[in-house]
Amino acid sequence: MSSGTKVASQDQQVRSATRPQRPAPPGPLKPTRARRRPALIALGLALVALSVLASVYLVSTLGRTYEVLAITNDVPRGTAVTPTDIGIVELPLGTGSALLDPISADEISQYEGKIAATDLKKGQLLTPASVVDELRPPAGQSIVGVALAPNQRPDTGLSAGDVVRVVETPATGGEPPAGAPFSIPATVVRVGQPGGSIGDQVVIDVQVESANAAALAARAATGRVALVLDSTRQG
């Protein structure tokens, strides 16, 4: 080998040694196996099961109703609820009406004849709180029964809620009082039926302040009282 050829070969080897080495191309990726998580699978199955149960429940309850009691006529407070005042209506299930505590239709016989605890309006649902066996006055109030003949009460019909005054009257044939007669404001609670042992008299239960109850009862016992109607309803 000549000296020139030897020098050229050595120079080529030096350049090859100083040239940067290229990285080898990456090999094919190995397929990875998906890891299954049992907890996630179980959760998914549970959600599917709940969805199926919810769908079955909605389908089974859709269109179903139940019967409850409703008021068919206006019934003033203190008045007995008659069979003609109660009707049966159907409510759809799942409407939230159960929160109103309606009375089931099969209990209708238990509520006929009860006393309205408040003014009942036509169309409203009947609830256990709507009626009572006996109307009781609130705290500080008393109920007094006053027996009145036709000439001691207005000829117009009285009903529960009417605002009245019970006025003391003079003895038969006596002179009227010089000043304003003694009177007690009251509210009609219940109007009885005429007849019975008191003839044509009607017993009217009125609600008064407890402080006036004794005075009214004493005067009512003498029969020397009259009832004055001031308004047809409490405001």
Side-chain angles (χ1 to χ4, degrees):
M1 179 182 298
S2 63
S3 60
T5 301
K6 185 176 180 180
V7 171
S9 176
Q10 291 177 351
D11 183 61
Q12 184 177 1
Q13 290 177 359
V14 170
R15 286 198 302 271
S16 298
T18 57
R19 183 181 303 165
Q21 299 295 323
R22 295 180 180 178
L29 297 175
K30 294 182 179 181
T32 58
R33 181 178 299 178
R35 295 181 179 179
R36 297 179 180 178
R37 298 182 179 180
L40 292 179
I41 295 175
L43 178 60
L45 293 176
L47 292 176
V48 171
L50 288 176
S51 299
V52 172
L53 290 176
S55 300
V56 171
Y57 174 77
L58 290 176
V59 171
S60 62
T61 57
L62 187 63
R64 292 178 56 189
T65 61
Y66 66 110
E67 295 182 333
V68 298
L69 300 181
I71 298 298
T72 56
N73 301 302
D74 289 347
V75 181
R77 177 179 181 269
T79 305
V81 179
T82 66
T84 59
D85 297 325
I86 306 177
I88 297 176
V89 296
E90 292 187 352
L91 294 180
L93 288 173
T95 60
S97 56
L99 298 176
L100 301 176
D101 195 22
I103 299 171
S104 176
D106 56 11
E107 301 180 37
I108 186 170
S109 61
Q110 302 178 27
Y111 288 88
E112 294 174 348
K114 287 185 177 291
I115 306 300
T118 184
D119 288 341
L120 304 180
K121 300 300 181 181
K122 180 180 178 180
Q124 77 177 73
L125 296 179
L126 186 66
T127 67
S130 302
V131 292
V132 293
D133 294 325
E134 182 181 359
L135 193 64
R136 298 183 180 277
Q141 299 285 308
S142 301
I143 294 178
V144 179
V146 183
L148 300 172
N151 63 338
Q152 295 175 287
R153 64 180 189 269
D155 189 48
T156 182
L158 294 170
S159 60
D162 289 344
V163 178
V164 298
R165 283 176 292 159
V166 182
V167 181
E168 185 177 22
T169 59
T172 303
E175 294 293 328
F182 177 83
S183 66
I184 295 176
T187 302
V188 175
V189 173
R190 189 183 68 86
V191 179
Q193 299 297 322
S197 60
I198 56 176
D200 58 356
Q201 287 185 322
V202 171
V203 176
I204 300 176
D205 291 342
V206 294
Q207 181 175 300
V208 298
E209 293 184 1
S210 297
N212 294 330
L216 175 58
R219 286 167 172 79
T222 68
R224 293 171 44 204
V225 292
L227 189 143
V228 177
L229 177 64
D230 286 327
S231 68
T232 56
R233 281 282 179 251
Q234 286 182 313

